[in-house]
Amino acid sequence: MGNEKLSLEEVHNSSSPKTTIWWFFLIATCVKVLLFPSYRSTDFEVHRNWLALTHSLPLSRWYFDETSPWTLDYPPFFAYFERFLSIFAHLFDPQIVHLHQGLNYSSNKVVYFQRFTVILSDLSLLYGVYRLTRKLDSRKQNLIYSLIIWSPMLIIVDHVHFQYNGFLIGILLISLSYLEEGRDLLGGFVFAVLLCFKHLFAVAAPVYFIYLLRHYCWGGILRGFSRLLIMGGLVAAVFASAFGPFFHLGQIQQVIQRLFPFGRGLCHAYWAPNFWVFYIMSDKGFAFILRKLGFNIQTPAASFTAGLVGDSSPFSVLPRITPSVTFIMVLLALSPCLFKAWKNPRPHMITRWISYAYTCGFLFGWHVHEKASLHFVIPLAFVAAQTPEDAKHYFVLSIVSCYSLFPLLFEAQEYPIKVLLLLLHVILSWSGFSAQFYDRAETRAPIAQTKQKVDQFGSEGSLSSDVKKGGFVFGLIERSYLAGLVFIEIWGQFLHPLLFGDKLAFVPLMLISVYCALGIMYSWIWQLRSIVKSH
């Protein structure tokens, strides 16, 4: 027994967490470099244009320029980030940052440069993962490294489709790491910085506000007020450094209009798998039935994706949904979490609460992009390593969320890539969770501790049966649902074209949205139940 302990310690000490995480990053980088020539979306030209306008124009014209249809609509810190990158872009290839000659520029130089900047910016993700896992045992560390650094969702969205989500989520993880350590001031500061990079992360702001007010500021009038002033002053300084120049120029209204274009409509062009998919389908179903019954139901003149047209509604039967309605629904969905954060603000719960907040924003928000599922799937990877029930939930959620991104890569040559990435994720996460929770070679103490943690969330019944079976086992409902994803994919790729040809081309995408929305709704309910039942 002593020799076994010694060997485990030697294995653990032979490779430090810093060395291990760099190996994970290096392997991921090799895969990303191989994907350089693959498909890239219009987001690639969006960010190239932002490089050009921030480099070629004075700051006073950044949020007014319309040389390209892809105008700047991110907060100032991201614009400053693009301006920083443009310095190197100009040295690498001056045409990249030429405002007019650079339009739709797509040489290998610009492709390699921009894709390489995404890889480098992922260092913030690497640091965030390291900070949140540095006190965990090596097995949990490696599990989380594989779930996040090798995340198929991040590879699909950032390194094929093209965006900087890894960079931004890394900042979020850094903020969460400070909060988990009890360093609330730094956690709030980093989150304020994140909001000035991308305002869509503000969905979690109510949770941050309640948690910091209760955990950091509360406790006596003098102490509480002084801490409130310190936190408020620090956040105000961050926003002043971002928006101050535009306030000085009298352009705040223009910046706000660019950041919040509510005219874009309730849904994105490809419906994100959220609550509004069911609302839209219900409206269409009611309209169809009423027409069959002889009622005069008019076809709506407005669109779900292009914004509201005049006073008309894109719905035939159900009430029109406005941005204010979605805002209220998000707050209502958040309220149990806010109550828990106020009643008992525990640092080790903050990642779970923030993940839940972004799930609420994804499900009930206005004009949600399918890529926004990254905001809660990535942080939930840390929660997944805590208990078997958390792991099972994450396993299903990560598969569903990754599959919901498949329509982003619609060209034939990328099909094997996205399928292979998802299959590798399934294999790695399955084996990782099985080793974490059901390896009988380890002492039985961790299992007992896990059962105690699960009792805390009220899920001991299903866990006990799984532990007895000694494997990472799912119930019939989970297995049936995941099997349904395979059927949806076979239908969309093979059966639908065979039976209908080019007709009803929207049906496969609609099926993906509706079916994946069921999985996301299940995740939301599961997270809500866990939070409500936590002690």
Side-chain angles (χ1 to χ4, degrees):
M1 187 69 179
N3 292 335
E4 181 182 353
K5 286 184 177 179
L6 181 61
S7 62
L8 288 174
E9 289 176 2
E10 288 174 351
V11 169
H12 179 72
N13 293 331
S14 64
S15 180
S16 69
K18 290 182 180 179
T19 303
T20 303
I21 198 171
W22 275 112
W23 275 111
F24 273 86
F25 182 76
L26 179 61
I27 294 172
T29 299
C30 292
V31 174
K32 295 167 185 177
V33 170
L34 291 175
L35 294 174
F36 273 13
S38 59
Y39 165 81
R40 56 188 182 275
S41 71
T42 53
D43 281 331
F44 186 88
E45 172 60 17
V46 169
H47 288 280
R48 190 220 54 81
N49 181 61
W50 293 359
L51 288 173
L53 72 87
T54 55
H55 184 85
S56 305
L57 298 176
L59 181 142
S60 60
R61 294 177 57 190
W62 287 1
Y63 286 94
F64 286 90
D65 180 71
E66 295 182 353
T67 304
S68 164
W70 314 117
T71 53
L72 181 61
D73 59 4
Y74 272 29
F77 274 179
F78 201 92
Y80 302 155
F81 172 68
E82 295 278 8
R83 178 66 182 89
F84 172 73
L85 294 180
S86 73
I87 299 172
F88 304 97
H90 181 262
L91 297 174
F92 192 73
D93 183 355
Q95 190 170 344
I96 297 175
V97 293
H98 196 287
L99 193 60
H100 298 283
Q101 295 179 11
L103 289 174
N104 299 310
Y105 184 43
S106 58
S107 73
N108 286 337
K109 279 190 173 183
V110 66
V111 171
Y112 295 161
F113 175 80
Q114 287 194 233
R115 289 204 182 280
F116 190 66
T117 61
V118 179
I119 293 175
L120 278 181
S121 68
D122 277 349
L123 290 175
S124 73
L125 179 70
L126 196 71
Y127 183 62
V129 172
Y130 169 73
R131 283 195 56 83
L132 274 170
T133 59
R134 58 182 177 170
K135 294 182 180 179
L136 301 178
D137 63 77
S138 60
R139 177 173 288 180
K140 281 188 178 181
Q141 286 176 344
N142 292 339
L143 172 61
I144 294 173
Y145 294 166
S146 65
L147 295 178
I148 298 180
I149 299 174
W150 291 350
S151 167
M153 296 178 65
L154 280 174
I155 293 176
I156 288 173
V157 176
D158 282 11
H159 303 280
V160 180
H161 187 270
F162 195 85
Q163 274 194 345
Y164 290 88
N165 290 284
F167 165 61
L168 298 169
I169 292 174
I171 300 175
L172 173 66
L173 298 184
I174 294 169
S175 171
L176 292 175
S177 71
Y178 283 126
L179 294 185
E180 287 198 359
E181 293 172 2
R183 302 168 72 180
D184 293 342
L185 197 60
L186 275 174
F189 167 77
V190 175
F191 183 68
V193 170
L194 175 62
L195 296 186
C196 293
F197 270 100
K198 191 171 183 179
H199 53 302
L200 298 183
F201 283 93
V203 175
V207 179
Y208 266 88
F209 177 77
I210 294 296
Y211 175 81
L212 291 174
L213 181 64
R214 190 73 167 90
H215 189 262
Y216 178 74
C217 300
W218 210 253
I221 297 178
L222 183 60
R223 175 179 178 271
F225 186 69
S226 62
R227 287 197 166 193
L228 182 63
L229 286 179
I230 293 171
M231 180 67 75
L234 191 62
V235 172
V238 172
F239 277 83
S241 63
F243 293 91
F246 301 95
F247 182 83
H248 176 72
L249 293 168
Q251 298 179 356
I252 285 296
Q253 184 176 356
Q254 174 67 15
V255 174
I256 297 301
Q257 288 176 353
R258 285 284 183 88
L259 297 185
F260 299 98
F262 290 117
R264 286 182 175 178
L266 176 63
C267 297
H268 190 42
Y270 159 58
W271 297 351
N274 61 12
F275 172 80
W276 302 118
V277 169
F278 303 118
Y279 193 84
I280 294 169
M281 296 304 298
S282 298
D283 179 76
K284 292 185 179 296
F286 289 145
F288 176 79
I289 293 171
L290 291 175
R291 289 191 187 102
K292 289 295 183 181
L293 294 175
F295 290 91
N296 183 22
I297 304 298
Q298 299 296 323
T299 301
S303 167
F304 296 109
T305 60
L308 304 177
V309 180
D311 294 326
S312 61
S313 171
F315 297 100
S316 300
V317 179
L318 297 178
R320 184 180 70 180
I321 301 299
T322 62
S324 59
V325 171
T326 62
F327 178 76
I328 293 171
M329 288 191 65
V330 171
L331 282 182
L332 288 174
L334 273 177
S335 56
C337 180
L338 298 178
F339 175 78
K340 284 287 184 178
W342 177 262
K343 184 179 179 182
N344 189 9
R346 292 177 292 167
H348 71 274
M349 286 292 291
I350 189 64
T351 301
R352 189 184 295 268
W353 291 336
I354 295 302
S355 301
Y356 174 75
Y358 287 124
T359 308
C360 294
F362 183 86
L363 274 178
F364 305 110
W366 178 265
H367 197 78
V368 174
H369 289 241
E370 64 281 356
K371 295 164 284 190
S373 59
L374 283 165
H375 295 177
F376 56 88
V377 174
I378 297 299
L380 278 172
F382 298 94
V383 177
Q386 296 179 10
T387 72
E389 286 298 309
D390 288 320
K392 287 164 59 179
H393 161 254
Y394 178 84
F395 184 78
V396 175
L397 174 64
S398 63
I399 293 173
V400 172
S401 299
C402 183
Y403 180 69
S404 73
L405 299 176
F406 272 27
L408 292 177
L409 308 184
F410 52 84
E411 294 183 351
Q413 60 267 30
E414 273 74 45
Y415 186 76
I417 295 174
K418 61 186 181 183
V419 172
L420 183 59
L421 286 172
L422 180 54
L423 289 177
L424 286 174
H425 169 73
V426 171
I427 294 169
L428 288 171
S429 56
W430 180 280
S431 59
F433 287 135
S434 297
Q436 172 64 34
F437 296 111
Y438 301 107
D439 189 348
R440 299 298 180 162
E442 298 286 349
T443 178
R444 295 180 181 271
I447 294 181
Q449 293 171 3
T450 299
K451 291 179 69 177
Q452 291 176 0
K453 290 182 180 179
V454 174
D455 290 343
Q456 178 181 355
F457 295 102
S459 305
E460 65 276 12
S462 58
L463 172 63
S464 59
S465 62
D466 286 351
V467 170
K468 289 176 183 178
K469 293 178 182 178
F472 195 57
V473 181
F474 286 93
L476 179 61
I477 295 177
E478 290 91 345
R479 293 199 300 267
S480 300
Y481 178 78
L482 291 177
L485 291 176
V486 178
F487 175 78
I488 294 291
E489 183 62 13
I490 292 174
W491 173 268
Q493 289 297 320
F494 306 106
L495 298 181
H496 186 90
L498 182 64
L499 298 175
F500 297 98
D502 295 332
K503 297 178 181 179
L504 303 174
F506 67 92
V507 171
L509 288 177
M510 184 185 70
L511 287 176
I512 293 175
S513 292
V514 173
Y515 197 76
C516 291
L518 290 172
I520 304 295
M521 285 292 293
Y522 160 80
S523 172
W524 174 68
I525 294 170
W526 192 95
Q527 292 181 64
L528 176 60
R529 177 176 174 270
S530 297
I531 290 172
V532 169
K533 289 197 170 187
S534 63
H535 301 299

